[in-house]
Amino acid sequence: MALPSSVFTQRQILLFWLPLAASWALMSAEGPILQAAIARLPEMQTQIAAFGIVTSLEITIESPVIMLLATSTALATGWRNYQTLRRFMIWLNTLVTLEAILVAFTPLYGIIVQRIMGIPAEIAAAARPGMMIMTFWSAAIGLRRFQQGVLIRHGQTRWVGYGTSVRLFSSAGTGITLAIWTRLPGVHAGSIALMAGVVAEASFIAYAVRPTLRRIKAGGESGSADKLSFWDVVQYHAPLAATSLLTLLAQPMISAGLARMPYPEENLAAWPIIWGLLFLFRSPAYALPEAVIALASERRLRQSMRIFCWRVGASTSAALGLFTVTPLLALYLRYFAGLPERLARFVIPGMALALAIPLINAIHSWFRGLLMAGRRTGFIYWGMGINLIVTGLLIFAGVLIGAPGAATAAVALTVSFLVEIYYLRSKASPE
């Protein structure tokens, strides 16, 4: 019996989206696995806190290249456009690598981490070698996300999931091996593992995209309604890069706030655990914007895509709730993360106050995807600016009243995303 068209389109969307969601899910598992390895090494609390500082800073540095995934998904419509995008990617990768070198190897590190963020000296010193090890992290991410966008644009989403499997196997295997067989500090082991993972994935994607590139080249400009200049790419990508930077500034801002709240070292050690778990449950929503960009241009799929986003958000928030309110969270913290009970007491309230975040993330992805598909990326930038202001105000209020650190951060994330969604909804036109 033939399926109703609404069911059929939901199935189409699921098949297109599923490899992207699998990629994000695998990527989200990377942090908890490496944190669990570090938790079993000497100076566990200091090393986990320092590793959290390394990852938050490195992700902030890479912020200009993160949205290359959306940019290439939206714009890689023909061979000439691909070549223009590739030149832009190389230029951007060079800039972020220079930035990473300046932060890791010059006095700028002390200014940012100790003076501005207020991170305790012991944690700051433990984190710096990790920054040095990960100097070329952003360039590898930029190459990988650019080529992944090309694959998504041309319907080859399965390779994205395969690539992330390569990354997880490489990073987790390296981290676990170093933790068992060497005497390296936890930050060193974790940073080497992260670099091994992204280099392996970038290499795999560069190989996997070659048949697609041959087809694009053979097809010339077929399917391309416009010819991009370098400046066109800059104009499209700049608001997304600025948005990504603002998004990622939230993590150093939260870390700076936690360092000034009661029990700073405990909160700085607990927050990466909370963030890693939230990333795991939010990962299906992170895969939605590219699906919206690729599919929402077909008006018959737009309503089905909106419904699909809501279903993804509701199911992942429900899964997070089940994980948090049952003994699963306590078992995870004790046996997988290896946290002592004194640190688990800082994690559990933060998780309980973040239950709505996966649903909020899915709705947020729907509106962002619509705006990116319509090439109205400037509104995304302003929305994230509003988000960051609200986050900063709530964190600052938490510092003033001496509120519990991890719980305050979870509330700040929830409220700031709700405010941003209200703004994006007023600018997007889903109908």
Side-chain angles (χ1 to χ4, degrees), residues 54 58 100 104-106 127-136 191:
V54 172
E58 286 293 344
F105 293 94
T106 73
R128 188 164 195 172
M131 297 294 298
M132 296 175 177
I133 291 167
M134 294 179 65
T135 298
F136 294 100
S191 300

Side-chain angles (χ1 to χ4, degrees), residues 9 13 16 73 153 288-307 309 365-374 429-431:
T9 54
I13 293 168
F16 185 91
T73 300
R153 177 73 195 191
L288 289 171
E290 284 69 42
V292 175
I293 293 169
L295 300 178
S297 57
E298 293 189 48
R299 297 197 65 83
R300 70 183 183 87
L301 290 178
R302 185 164 291 192
Q303 178 65 8
S304 292
M305 191 71 228
R306 184 183 67 82
I307 293 169
C309 290
S365 293
W366 162 246
F367 288 118
R368 275 197 173 183
L370 285 177
L371 289 167
M372 286 188 279
S429 299
E431 301 300 334

Side-chain angles (χ1 to χ4, degrees), residues 198-213:
V198 297
V199 169
E201 184 182 19
S203 301
F204 175 85
I205 292 297
Y207 177 79
V209 79
R210 294 194 301 174
T212 301
L213 293 180

Side-chain angles (χ1 to χ4, degrees), residues 92-224:
L92 200 57
N93 276 356
T94 302
L95 286 180
V96 294
T97 301
L98 291 173
E99 182 184 356
I101 291 170
L102 286 173
V103 173
F105 293 94
T106 73
L108 186 60
Y109 176 83
I111 295 171
I112 293 173
V113 175
Q114 290 184 267
R115 294 186 189 177
I116 297 176
M117 295 178 64
I119 302 302
E122 183 181 7
I123 296 175
R128 188 164 195 172
M131 297 294 298
M132 296 175 177
I133 291 167
M134 294 179 65
T135 298
F136 294 100
W137 158 274
S138 296
I141 293 289
L143 174 62
R144 183 258 294 178
R145 290 182 75 81
F146 165 66
Q147 302 286 29
Q148 282 178 329
V150 175
L151 289 168
I152 294 168
R153 177 73 195 191
H154 296 275
Q156 302 297 312
T157 56
R158 69 186 187 279
W159 294 109
V160 177
Y162 296 156
T164 310
S165 300
V166 171
R167 171 179 173 171
L168 183 62
F169 179 81
S170 300
S171 61
T174 301
I176 293 169
T177 299
L178 292 174
I180 293 174
W181 296 106
T182 75
R183 300 178 61 85
L184 286 174
V187 169
H188 292 64
S191 300
I192 292 170
L194 286 177
M195 276 302 303
V198 297
V199 169
E201 184 182 19
S203 301
F204 175 85
I205 292 297
Y207 177 79
V209 79
R210 294 194 301 174
T212 301
L213 293 180
R214 285 195 292 269
R215 287 193 297 272
I216 297 171
K217 187 174 183 179
E221 299 306 311
S222 60
S224 178

Side-chain angles (χ1 to χ4, degrees), residues 2-14 300-308 311:
L3 290 170
S5 60
S6 60
V7 175
F8 179 67
T9 54
Q10 288 289 298
R11 181 170 293 180
Q12 285 180 313
I13 293 168
L14 176 65
R300 70 183 183 87
L301 290 178
R302 185 164 291 192
Q303 178 65 8
S304 292
M305 191 71 228
R306 184 183 67 82
I307 293 169
F308 186 81
R311 288 177 174 175

